[in-house]
Amino acid sequence: MAPLPLSDETLLFEPAAPHDEALAVVFAFPNQYTVGITSLGYQVVWATLARRADVSVSRLFTDGHEPLPATIDVLGFSLSWELDYANLLTQLETLDIPIFAQDRSDTHPLVFGGGPVLTANPEPFANFFDVILLGDGETLLDDFFDALVELKSASRAETLRHLTKVPGLYIPSLYSVTYDGPTGGIRAIAPLETDIPATVQKQTYRGNVLSASTVVTPHAAWENIFMVEVVRSCPEMCRFCLASYLTLPFRTASLEESLLPAIERGLAVTNRLGLLGASVTQHPEFETLLDYLNKPQFDDVRLSLASVRTNTVTPKLAETLTRHDSRSITIAIESGSERVRQIVNKKLETDDIEHAAVNAKAGGLSAMKLYGMAGVPGETMADLEQTVALMLRLKKAAPGLRLTLGCSTFVPKAHTPFQWRGVNPEAEKRLKYLQKHLRPKGIDFRPESYNWSVIQALISRGDRRLAPLLERVRHYGDSLGSYRRAFKDFQGQIPPLEYYVHEDWDLSQPLPWDHLLGPLPKATLQKHFEAAGVEAVAV
C-alpha cells in the first residue's frame, strides 16, 4: 500500500500539533484516495480532528495511508456508498480488528462510523460498529471526541455506556431486536437496560456557515477542485428523496459569513470551483453569487454546479456557466409524466422543462443532462411513453443541444414517505423500453444498473439479520448473483431477498430504524405517503 501524495496537497486549515497524551485515531474511507479525498464530508471531519491537539489523526484509504500508530485507540469510517462496506470489512481485517463488534475486547480500537449511508439506516451494518454517529458532524464530532478523551482510561463497556448520554451517538450493542420468527418482520427494538435511551435522535446543525474544502489536490477525482456547500437539504421534498427528507430543514449558507469568504480562500489556491447542494439555485441570494463570480478577476475560474432546479435555469445562469468553462447543466425531472411528478411531489410543469432546455441553449451551453426514474410507485407504461415524448419535444425545442437522460430505478429509502414501497420488478423492462425508444432518436440514454438498485434497496431497508449475509457476500463477489447465492446459504434463517427489496410494507409495521429518529416523525411520513395517492393507482 502506497503512502499518500502529501506533497501535492494544499491544506486550507492549520493542523494542531498533537500533545503526548493525544488519542491515536485512524480515520478511514473505504475506497481509493482519489475517491475519498473528493468527499467533502470526509475532508471536513478529518480537518476537525486534525485541529485538535488532544487527537493525533492518520488517514487511511484502500490504496494508501499516512503513517499509522503502533496502537490505535479509535478507528473511524466515513461511508458514502453502500457497496463500500466490503472494503470497510477488508480494512478492519488488514488492521487485525475483528469484523464483528461483539468479538472485540479492551485491546482493540473503538470503531465508529458516520456518513449518509449510516445516518439513513445503519442496521445492516450495526454489528460491525461500536458507535454510529447519526447526523451532522458539526454538532456531533466535538461532543463525541470530548467524551472519548475524558474516557481514555475507561473500559470498552464503560465507554460505550457513557456514550449513550451524548445526543446522536448510537451504540448498537446496547439495543436488542426481536422478530416475528427468523423470516418474519420486526416485532420490537428496545434498549437492553432502562437507563439506555429508548430512541436516538439524528443531530442537525442549524448554523448558516456550511462546509467547504479543507484540502485541494490534483489527485482528487475532480482534479484540484475547491468545493463549497451552498445549501443543505432541499425545500421541494420529493417523496422518494433521501437528500431532502433526511437532512431537513432546508438551510442556506450566509453569503457574507460563509460563501464569499470560503470561495476567496479556495480561489487563492486553485481556479476550479464546485458549488454543492441538492438545490443550489434555490439559495435566496444565488443571483448575487453569480454576479460575484462574473467579476473580471474570476474569468479563468472553471465552475461546476450540482443538479439545479429546472425552473431556475435562466439565460443568465447558462451564460455564467458557459463563461466559466462549463458545457452542460444537470436537472432532475423524475418523469416526463405530470401525473407521476404529482405522485412524487415534483412541483414541475412540462413547460418548465422545455424552457430550461431553450434557456440552456440560448446561454451557450452545448449539453443538458436530465435525471429520471423508472418504477416509481403508481407509474404505468403510459407514463413512460410521456417520458419518451418529452425528450423528443426537448430535442425539437432546442435543436443542437445534446440531451442525456440518466435513469435509475426507484429505490425506497428510510425516513422518506416512500420507505414502505418496494422496488417494482418491472423496472428493468421499463428501462429497456426507454432505451429502445430514445437511443435511435439520438438521445443519449444512460440507465443505472437495475441489479445495483436491487442491492441498494436491500441495504436501504435491511435489518441486523443481514450482517452475516453481507460478510458472506464479499467472498462471492459483488454481483446480484452473489447476493442470491448468500441468501440460499441463509435460507430459513432470515427473510428472503424479496421481503427487503420488492414487498410493499404495511404502514403500521415496525421498521428496522424506528428507534433512530429522523427530522420528521413516522406519523408525518405516513401522511405524506397517503397524500401521494398511489394505493389507488394500478401499477
Side-chain angles (χ1 to χ4, degrees):
M1 189 179 289
L4 303 183
L6 301 182
S7 61
D8 291 335
E9 291 188 337
T10 302
L11 299 190
L12 290 116
F13 71 100
E14 191 66 42
H19 59 56
D20 292 342
E21 298 299 312
L23 275 177
V25 178
V26 173
F27 187 44
F29 193 95
N31 209 310
Q32 296 177 351
Y33 171 81
T34 184
V35 176
I37 205 63
T38 314
S39 163
L40 185 56
Y42 182 85
Q43 285 190 23
V44 169
V45 172
W46 161 61
T48 302
L49 299 180
R51 286 188 183 104
R52 295 182 62 126
D54 53 4
V55 166
S56 176
V57 61
S58 304
R59 290 173 292 165
L60 170 67
F61 302 89
T62 56
D63 59 345
H65 60 81
E66 292 176 295
L68 301 181
T71 302
I72 302 171
D73 296 317
V74 183
L75 171 63
F77 289 94
S78 178
L79 194 59
S80 300
W81 192 51
E82 288 89 345
L83 289 190
D84 274 350
Y85 81 84
N87 293 333
L88 185 153
L89 300 184
T90 300
Q91 286 174 311
L92 284 171
E93 287 181 332
T94 302
L95 296 170
D96 291 324
I97 300 169
I99 282 176
F100 290 97
Q102 66 187 25
D103 299 328
R104 296 175 199 140
S105 68
D106 284 351
T107 63
H108 294 114
L110 201 71
V111 178
F112 78 90
V117 171
L118 294 174
T119 295
N121 175 24
E123 288 304 282
F125 311 116
N127 293 339
F128 305 138
F129 290 97
D130 299 305
V131 185
I132 291 170
L133 279 60
L134 301 178
D136 295 335
E138 291 96 336
T139 57
L140 279 165
L141 270 174
D142 283 329
D143 290 347
F144 176 42
F145 274 88
D146 287 349
L148 289 179
V149 169
E150 187 183 321
L151 295 160
K152 188 173 182 184
S153 58
S155 69
R156 173 180 292 268
E158 287 176 284
T159 299
L160 293 177
R161 287 186 63 83
H162 183 87
L163 290 176
T164 62
K165 298 179 173 67
V166 180
L169 298 189
Y170 172 43
I171 317 300
S173 62
L174 297 180
Y175 294 79
S176 68
V177 186
T178 53
Y179 306 95
D180 288 323
T183 61
I186 287 173
R187 183 176 296 161
I189 306 158
L192 293 175
E193 296 175 26
T194 53
D195 60 340
I196 306 296
T199 58
V200 184
Q201 177 70 58
K202 172 193 172 289
Q203 297 300 290
T204 301
Y205 167 69
R206 297 179 185 274
N208 63 358
V209 177
L210 299 184
S211 300
S213 287
T214 59
V215 60
V216 169
T217 170
H219 301 285
W222 298 324
E223 183 180 339
N224 285 321
I225 195 164
F226 177 83
M227 299 173 287
V228 60
E229 189 181 18
V230 178
V231 299
R232 191 172 294 183
S233 193
C234 176
E236 297 307 310
M237 297 178 68
C238 295
R239 294 183 175 110
F240 60 85
C241 184
L242 190 67
S244 178
Y245 272 87
L246 186 65
T247 57
L248 289 170
F250 180 60
R251 285 144 288 164
T252 60
S254 164
L255 203 66
E256 298 299 330
E257 295 174 35
S258 182
L259 282 179
L260 299 189
I263 290 170
E264 284 177 11
R265 280 198 314 276
L267 295 185
V269 300
T270 182
N271 70 342
R272 187 162 186 195
L273 177 65
L275 302 181
L276 303 189
S279 193
V280 291
T281 51
Q282 286 180 274
H283 189 288
E285 295 179 276
F286 191 75
E287 288 283 313
T288 308
L289 179 59
L290 289 184
D291 291 339
Y292 173 80
L293 293 173
N294 280 330
K295 289 180 178 179
Q297 68 259 41
F298 299 133
D299 279 352
D300 70 332
V301 170
R302 295 174 61 199
L303 183 62
S304 301
L305 212 60
S307 176
V308 303
R309 179 154 171 79
T310 304
N311 59 6
T312 61
V313 181
T314 61
K316 179 178 178 178
L317 173 59
E319 286 163 10
T320 301
L321 290 172
T322 302
R323 179 174 176 176
H324 291 286
D325 207 28
S326 275
R327 299 284 172 261
S328 178
I329 197 166
T330 302
I331 61 173
I333 61 165
E334 317 320 338
S335 173
S337 161
E338 290 198 1
R339 188 182 70 85
V340 167
R341 293 199 296 271
Q342 287 171 0
I343 288 172
V344 302
N345 198 36
K346 190 79 176 180
K347 306 171 193 78
L348 191 60
E349 302 292 330
T350 300
D351 286 349
D352 294 335
I353 304 170
E354 181 178 322
H355 291 151
V358 170
N359 288 342
K361 174 81 185 308
L365 293 174
S366 57
M368 172 178 274
K369 183 171 184 180
L370 302 92
Y371 280 121
M373 281 194 301
V376 175
E379 174 192 84
T380 68
M381 286 305 297
D383 298 309
L384 271 80
E385 291 167 6
Q386 289 184 45
T387 297
V388 172
L390 170 67
M391 297 305 296
L392 297 179
R393 175 176 168 179
L394 297 183
K395 190 175 182 188
K396 185 176 180 182
L401 186 69
R402 193 171 67 254
L403 297 173
T404 298
L405 178 62
C407 199
S408 61
T409 296
F410 161 74
V411 172
K413 297 288 186 178
H415 305 288
T416 70
F418 281 172
Q419 62 188 351
W420 290 280
R421 290 301 291 253
V423 172
N424 187 336
E426 293 295 308
E428 187 171 25
K429 290 180 183 175
R430 295 183 180 189
L431 290 172
K432 289 177 179 174
Y433 170 87
L434 290 173
Q435 180 169 304
K436 179 182 176 183
H437 288 82
L438 289 174
R439 283 189 178 168
K441 302 292 186 180
I443 291 165
D444 183 8
F445 180 70
R446 298 183 187 176
E448 194 172 275
S449 161
Y450 170 79
N451 288 347
W452 151 238
S453 297
V454 167
I455 297 166
Q456 198 182 11
L458 168 69
I459 292 172
S460 69
R461 292 212 298 179
D463 55 48
R464 289 191 191 184
R465 290 174 290 187
L466 291 183
L469 179 133
L470 294 177
E471 199 281 326
R472 179 75 54 87
V473 164
R474 72 193 185 104
H475 300 294
Y476 292 159
D478 60 2
S479 68
L480 182 58
S482 304
Y483 284 82
R484 294 199 181 279
R485 180 179 172 189
F487 267 100
K488 284 183 181 175
D489 292 348
F490 288 93
Q491 192 168 5
Q493 301 171 52
I494 62 173
L497 177 81
E498 287 68 25
Y499 166 79
Y500 295 107
V501 175
H502 296 299
E503 278 190 23
D504 292 341
W505 290 352
D506 191 278
L507 265 63
S508 62
Q509 76 182 72
L511 299 170
W513 48 88
D514 270 353
H515 58 309
L516 309 173
L517 307 182
L520 295 178
K522 190 176 181 180
T524 301
L525 295 177
Q526 289 169 336
K527 288 177 183 174
H528 288 200
F529 173 83
E530 287 162 354
V534 291
E535 289 182 307
V537 179
V539 177

